[in-house]
Amino acid sequence: MNLHQMTVQALSGLLERKELSSSEMTESFLNQIRMKEPELNAFITVARDTALDAAAASDARRARGEAMGSLDGIPFALKDNFSVKGLPMTCASRMLRNYKPPYTATAAEHLLKAGAVLLGKNNMDEFAIGSSTENSAYGPVKNPLDARRVPGGSSGGSAACVAAGEAAFSLGSDTGGSVRQPAACCGIVGLKPTYGMISRYGVTALASSLDQVGILARSVGDTALILNHVASYDPKDSMSWPGAAADYSAAMGGGVAGRRFGIVKEYLGSDMDPDALAWVQQAVDRLISAGAKVEEVSMPNMAHCLACYYVLMSAEFHANMGRFDGLRFGLRAEGDDYFSMVTGSRTQGLGPEVKTRIIFGTYVLREAQYEKFFLKAMKVRTLICRDYEEAFKKVDCLLTPVQNGLPFLWGSRQGDSVKMAATDKLVIPSNLAGLPALALPFGSSEGLPGAVQLIGKPFSEAMLLGIADYLEQEGPRL
């Protein structure tokens, strides 16, 4: 019995049937972490003692017949930009090396209240800036499927730990594809829901109009189950959606007959990797054979999404990073005056990629550049949203690649900002529009899993999960 490759649903069944205790399950996952981590480096903090205490509490509840549901006793992890009271939160930066938040992020709180067992905090690109998890003050994360390749980013540690069987699932953050892209790199499912569906309270902000909490799991069914627990209104998040809770697990098994799918014309060019296009075509063939309709749609403003995203993201990141000045929390350098203290704190505490984005954000927000860059990017964002609106008048769901081929090799894009930025061009647009999007393993190449992406209208998560469930059951896999 290989616990470490089981779904949450299968693990929950073992606990319900009392074939295994949460303490035994948690100890097994902690042993997996101990064995895998010297090479993988997917965790910054392993909370062994608190995890075993939580597992023992879960076992006690089950013994009394008071289990709190399907997540009670299930081991999980969190990206290290989620606050958990009493545990370190570093955001993979020297700036926050000794910081312990005094409160817990709402999404994490929901899972803990459901009885899930937190194993620890995952490695990531520093302050979520990156697409490969090469930009961590705690060292890079390896891809568990091929150690020569990156695991994606910035939630690379979260994706890698799930794929390697170190946790049953993890939560990450997705500002420009940072859940879906690493999920694709590591051969698991990654969901970024509609903007505002999952509270961001307690998650360190990168770019507030783009940030969303996402789910990394081994199966679509697990993803739906976890979404049931973390999707809710939160008055502490000003952008939280006040809609009623839904049962996303009920979307499973509905099939795809009659659904209308759109293939984006602008993603079919000669610059696309043949494997990425082949995975989409394989999905198209499966959908058509099941009674779905597929047509090509044009979204001309997708060509501008990268430039638009990097201007807006850098500007918002510049604003959000203003708090790290050495005065309130985080690393504080010695200095003869305020200016030298702040300069020293940021010089010592922040990595080169973070500094680059802050400087660029400062530049685009200068009065002389505001209209030329920031205001123009806001207008382009509106055009991108309109492209989606027009597409969804014709189709129910868009089907695209997640990235342009297999995950790239370590170091192959370091220092080349253009190539690194291009990694995210297929996942960024849905963040700009605040739309739900899901990355799903589908197809393969060179012995590694491929992936496709499903994008829907706002709050169409149930539909996307139902489609993904069909493709997961029927699609080609390794």
Side-chain angles (χ1 to χ4, degrees), residues 175-176 207 209-210 300-317 357 360-361 364-365 370 372-388 421 424-425 428-434:
T175 305
S209 76
L210 301 163
N301 291 294
M302 294 300 107
H304 310 302
C305 69
L306 269 177
C308 172
Y309 170 81
Y310 276 94
V311 168
L312 297 178
M313 178 273 293
S314 298
E316 294 188 32
F317 185 58
R357 302 291 178 93
F360 182 57
V364 300
L365 287 175
Y370 181 82
K372 182 179 179 181
F373 290 105
F374 186 79
L375 187 58
K376 186 175 289 186
M378 290 293 287
K379 293 177 179 178
V380 171
R381 185 178 193 172
T382 299
L383 294 176
I384 291 169
C385 292
R386 288 177 182 171
D387 275 358
Y388 278 115
D424 299 326
K425 74 174 185 177
I428 280 171
S430 55
N431 287 87
L432 291 168

Side-chain angles (χ1 to χ4, degrees), residues 67-396:
M68 294 189 291
S70 51
L71 291 186
D72 199 348
I74 301 295
F76 77 105
L78 291 170
K79 188 175 181 178
D80 201 28
N81 58 350
F82 283 73
S83 297
V84 176
K85 185 177 181 179
L87 287 183
M89 184 188 73
T90 71
C91 293
S93 177
R94 288 185 293 273
M95 179 64 78
L96 293 175
R97 186 181 295 275
N98 298 314
Y99 176 67
K100 290 185 179 180
Y103 62 95
T104 297
T106 298
E109 188 71 35
H110 285 319
L111 296 173
L112 295 172
K113 286 183 177 179
V117 175
L118 178 60
L119 297 170
K121 309 288 284 299
N122 293 133
N123 203 352
M124 55 185 281
D125 283 301
E126 183 180 8
F127 283 106
I129 291 291
S131 305
S132 61
T133 321
E134 292 172 289
N135 302 313
S136 169
Y138 296 85
V141 179
K142 298 292 179 67
N143 189 320
L145 305 181
D146 183 347
R148 302 171 303 159
R149 300 178 184 270
V150 301
S154 61
S155 304
S158 296
C161 90
V162 174
E166 294 182 320
F169 68 93
S170 183
L171 296 187
S173 61
D174 191 314
T175 305
S178 289
V179 162
R180 289 160 289 147
Q181 187 252 4
C185 288
C186 294
I188 61 173
V189 178
L191 172 68
K192 178 197 79 68
T194 305
Y195 185 77
M197 176 169 280
I198 302 177
S199 173
R200 301 163 304 164
Y201 177 76
V203 182
T204 303
L206 192 171
S208 301
S209 76
L210 301 163
D211 294 343
Q212 294 166 246
V213 171
I215 299 166
L216 297 114
R218 289 197 190 90
S219 73
V220 175
D222 284 358
T223 305
L225 176 63
I226 298 158
L227 186 61
N228 285 342
H229 286 82
V230 296
S232 67
Y233 173 67
D234 181 9
K236 295 190 289 291
D237 181 349
S238 62
M239 300 307 294
S240 184
W241 179 59
D247 181 4
Y248 297 99
S249 298
M252 304 296 102
V256 296
R259 291 287 185 197
R260 301 170 300 161
F261 291 84
I263 307 300
V264 181
K265 174 184 176 182
E266 285 71 21
Y267 292 163
L268 302 176
S270 58
D271 61 329
M272 286 297 298
D273 184 272
D275 286 332
L277 295 179
W279 301 329
V280 171
Q281 186 57 52
Q282 288 173 342
V284 166
D285 294 342
R286 288 288 195 282
L287 293 169
I288 291 175
S289 67
K293 299 177 181 179
V294 180
E295 64 178 279
E296 189 176 285
V297 297
S298 179
M299 303 180 70
N301 291 294
M302 294 300 107
H304 310 302
C305 69
L306 269 177
C308 172
Y309 170 81
Y310 276 94
V311 168
L312 297 178
M313 178 273 293
S314 298
E316 294 188 32
F317 185 58
H318 154 88
N320 282 322
M321 290 299 289
R323 74 194 76 178
F324 298 104
D325 56 6
L327 284 177
R328 285 159 283 191
F329 49 83
L331 183 147
R332 179 171 183 170
E334 297 298 323
D336 296 330
D337 53 31
Y338 173 77
F339 180 79
S340 61
M341 184 273 293
V342 173
T343 301
S345 299
R346 290 174 175 170
T347 299
Q348 296 174 34
L350 302 177
E353 189 63 28
V354 169
K355 293 173 185 173
T356 299
R357 302 291 178 93
I358 292 172
I359 291 170
F360 182 57
T362 305
Y363 177 76
V364 300
L365 287 175
R366 291 178 62 205
E367 183 178 359
Q369 309 298 335
Y370 181 82
E371 289 192 12
K372 182 179 179 181
F373 290 105
F374 186 79
L375 187 58
K376 186 175 289 186
M378 290 293 287
K379 293 177 179 178
V380 171
R381 185 178 193 172
T382 299
L383 294 176
I384 291 169
C385 292
R386 288 177 182 171
D387 275 358
Y388 278 115
E389 289 171 3
E390 290 301 312
F392 287 128
K393 290 178 182 178
K394 303 174 184 177
V395 300
D396 302 314

